[in-house]
Amino acid sequence: MIYDDKIDKIIAVEFKMITDSRLYTDEIKEQLQKYEEFMTEYNEEIKQAYINSTKAKLELGLLQEDSKMLKISENTQVEHKPILAIAGLNQEMIDNFGQSIKKRVNDFAYFVKFFGKEIFLYPLEELLKIGIVDKIILTFPEDNIEEA
């Protein structure tokens, strides 16, 4: 999950490779629906877990006092639909399969993002820098984002 302080929302993120066969069947819809059910049912517990975790990290010195995570409050919303982030390997694959995937999951995902480079092969520092690992705001350099 990520926290987007611009809209004060906690959002689940599902990562897939464009070659994952589940993207081309109803299995992806079922998986995204399970996210929605979970996020809806445990809305308050998720929010409270973030608040408690943030407080503990601050007390342990694992979080800076200017961290955007400290904005999480009882007023923070939990998005019921997840982000679907898909590593497309290359633009040709995104062009060939992106629209059909988007059409299939449009009603089940908060939004769908395609990445034209293999983001999972980046060094850890890059993943931290672009927001994939242990970061509260999902951010990516513009040149790594490709949309169908």
Side-chain angles (χ1 to χ4, degrees):
M1 285 187 231
I2 62 163
Y3 171 64
D4 186 334
D5 71 312
K6 293 179 183 95
I7 57 173
D8 195 24
K9 250 185 198 183
I10 297 168
I11 309 169
V13 182
E14 175 63 25
F15 290 96
K16 295 277 189 229
M17 297 293 295
I18 202 162
T19 54
D20 188 327
S21 63
R22 294 172 291 186
L23 289 171
Y24 306 97
T25 69
D26 284 343
E27 190 173 347
I28 188 62
K29 291 179 186 178
E30 294 166 10
Q31 187 176 12
L32 296 175
Q33 283 177 314
K34 286 179 183 176
Y35 270 101
E36 185 171 4
E37 291 165 9
F38 179 84
M39 300 298 279
T40 300
E41 183 173 345
Y42 295 102
N43 183 333
E44 291 302 316
E45 291 87 346
I46 292 167
K47 188 184 321 182
Q48 199 58 50
Y50 263 79
I51 292 169
N52 294 343
S53 172
T54 302
K55 182 179 176 185
K57 286 180 179 183
L58 185 62
E59 290 172 2
L60 292 169
L62 300 173
L63 198 61
Q64 295 179 352
E65 291 188 21
D66 62 347
S67 171
K68 294 177 182 181
M69 284 185 71
L70 295 173
K71 293 181 179 181
I72 299 172
S73 70
E74 296 297 330
N75 295 327
T76 298
Q77 295 180 5
V78 175
E79 175 57 46
H80 296 198
K81 294 180 180 183
I83 294 169
L84 180 58
I86 302 169
L89 302 178
N90 59 55
Q91 189 62 44
E92 182 180 359
M93 290 189 84
I94 293 169
D95 292 343
N96 289 338
F97 302 108
Q99 288 302 325
S100 66
I101 293 170
K102 275 188 172 183
K103 204 176 280 188
R104 180 174 287 105
V105 302
N106 195 43
D107 293 336
F108 303 95
Y110 182 63
F111 66 82
V112 179
K113 281 290 183 190
F114 292 87
F115 304 91
K117 295 181 181 178
E118 176 49 90
I119 59 172
F120 301 108
L121 297 179
Y122 277 48
L124 180 58
E125 311 84 63
E126 273 301 300
L127 293 175
L128 287 167
K129 181 179 168 187
I130 63 175
I132 297 293
V133 176
D134 197 28
K135 184 120 168 105
I136 57 166
I137 300 173
L138 187 63
T139 58
F140 297 92
E142 288 301 316
D143 62 345
N144 284 355
I145 297 177
E146 302 290 338
E147 291 192 48

